[in-house]
Amino acid sequence: MAAHLAVVFDTGNGKYETKVFTYQPLGLQFRSQLPIIIKRIRAYSQAEELNVQLGWEVCSVGDKRLSGMTIEQASRVFQESVATLRKSIVVRSAPLDAISVKDLSSKLGWPGADVVPYLTQIGFKPKDPRAWEEAASPHLRLGMIDGHRKHSKGKHTWYVIVCKMFSSDASLTQHWQVERRLAHIRALVHDPVKHELGNAYDLYFTGAHFALRGGPAGTSARMGAWLTALSKAINVKALSPCLVASIMRFVEIPLPGHIAEQTLSGSKPV
């Protein structure tokens, strides 16, 4: 029987809810202090799917109540309990050796003549590099985790794109995340998409504006909305197989069945 983890939350007003998690990461983040209050829920995560809410307090994890524990003890219980669950997300490290657009483009490569076999391998149904088959393709969801990171190498800001792709019968499910600079996303995704769609661009991206240069406040929210709109355009086959192959290379989709060997980083994420 597959491992599972029951977490009991105090939702306020004396009410409690139990959520059962079956894989890691859970998609929760909290500060290193008691009580453990959920401060962030990762986009498209299991916690989001289970409708966990910000502000809920964690009361127990598995068969262990957190009352009376120190934050160190509670965090250890959380981490050890989560470790028993299967991993289902691939976490790509920031490509610090490819900071420029040119270097990242070279590092990722280009499908070229292999567009059809490449897309077929990851579940899509292309007829040729410019047209799709009538058959249903997997459903793609792209989003962005709120906030950004700065790594020790260089002063550039990196944003985390969270990705999920699944088929209608659940036989294929991939969940992963990558780190990219805004310059990467603009040059290698936004600009080619806008060029290919031409006058139809506004039809698919109404109300979803790409981030302003310089990464001002609100950039993550703008990018999250833009990536959601991009997902929808891909799902309705508005973009050519050739461009979709390029985008899937950009977000580094894992091959089906790949098992993650890395875990999420950051302060107390589970």
Side-chain angles (χ1 to χ4, degrees):
M1 180 177 178
H4 64 276
L5 179 64
V7 179
V8 178
F9 297 91
D10 181 347
T11 64
N13 299 320
K15 297 181 179 180
Y16 298 85
E17 282 203 31
T18 300
K19 301 294 184 181
V20 179
F21 296 84
T22 56
Y23 58 85
Q24 58 170 301
L26 310 188
L28 302 173
Q29 192 162 357
F30 51 86
R31 292 180 181 148
S32 298
Q33 61 186 45
L34 294 173
I36 292 181
I37 305 295
I38 303 305
K39 296 297 183 182
R40 180 177 296 175
I41 297 173
R42 295 190 182 277
Y44 306 152
S45 67
Q46 188 178 190
E48 183 183 74
E49 293 173 356
L50 293 174
N51 201 32
V52 177
Q53 300 295 308
L54 297 178
W56 283 9
E57 177 185 344
V58 179
C59 298
S60 65
V61 178
D63 59 355
K64 297 180 174 62
R65 291 188 58 80
L66 304 187
S67 177
M69 293 185 182
T70 64
I71 185 59
E72 290 76 16
Q73 292 171 328
S75 296
R76 185 165 57 251
V77 165
F78 231 135
Q79 297 293 343
E80 291 176 351
S81 299
V82 170
T84 65
L85 302 177
R86 65 184 177 88
K87 295 179 180 179
S88 68
I89 184 170
V90 174
V91 180
R92 306 292 195 191
S93 300
L96 300 180
D97 59 342
I99 292 176
S100 73
V101 170
K102 180 179 178 180
D103 286 345
L104 181 64
S105 180
S106 177
K107 181 182 179 70
L108 295 176
W110 172 249
D114 297 327
V115 165
V116 172
Y118 170 69
L119 287 176
T120 301
Q121 183 181 28
I122 59 178
F124 286 94
K125 308 295 182 184
K127 180 185 298 183
D128 57 52
R130 304 304 305 176
W132 296 99
E133 296 283 2
E134 293 296 327
S137 289
H139 187 81
L140 178 68
R141 296 178 68 188
L142 301 174
M144 181 164 284
I145 293 177
D146 185 30
H148 55 265
R149 309 181 188 189
K150 287 185 181 292
H151 294 278
S152 57
K153 181 179 179 180
K155 299 180 181 179
H156 299 288
T157 301
W158 296 80
Y159 294 85
V160 180
I161 302 174
V162 61
C163 319
K164 189 171 186 178
M165 193 171 82
F166 50 93
S167 58
S168 57
D169 61 359
S171 61
L172 169 69
T173 300
Q174 294 292 326
H175 193 186
W176 74 102
Q177 66 181 52
V178 294
E179 292 187 52
R180 296 288 185 260
R181 295 179 55 217
L182 283 181
H184 296 150
I185 306 172
R186 178 180 289 106
L188 300 178
V189 182
H190 170 267
D191 291 355
V193 167
K194 193 166 187 179
H195 176 76
E196 181 169 292
L197 289 177
N199 293 334
Y201 178 85
D202 289 341
L203 176 65
Y204 297 99
F205 291 87
T206 299
H209 303 290
F210 196 80
L212 300 174
R213 294 182 182 276
T219 292
S220 294
R222 288 176 69 103
M223 285 307 304
W226 190 87
L227 289 168
T228 296
L230 175 63
S231 306
K232 293 177 180 178
I234 292 174
N235 291 335
V236 299
K237 302 180 181 178
L239 304 179
S240 68
C242 188
L243 182 51
V244 171
S246 177
I247 293 170
M248 299 313 290
R249 281 286 180 94
F250 179 83
V251 297
E252 294 186 81
I253 180 175
L255 296 180
H258 185 79
I259 302 298
E261 295 180 352
Q262 295 175 285
T263 57
L264 291 170
S265 61
S267 60
K268 302 303 179 187
V270 289

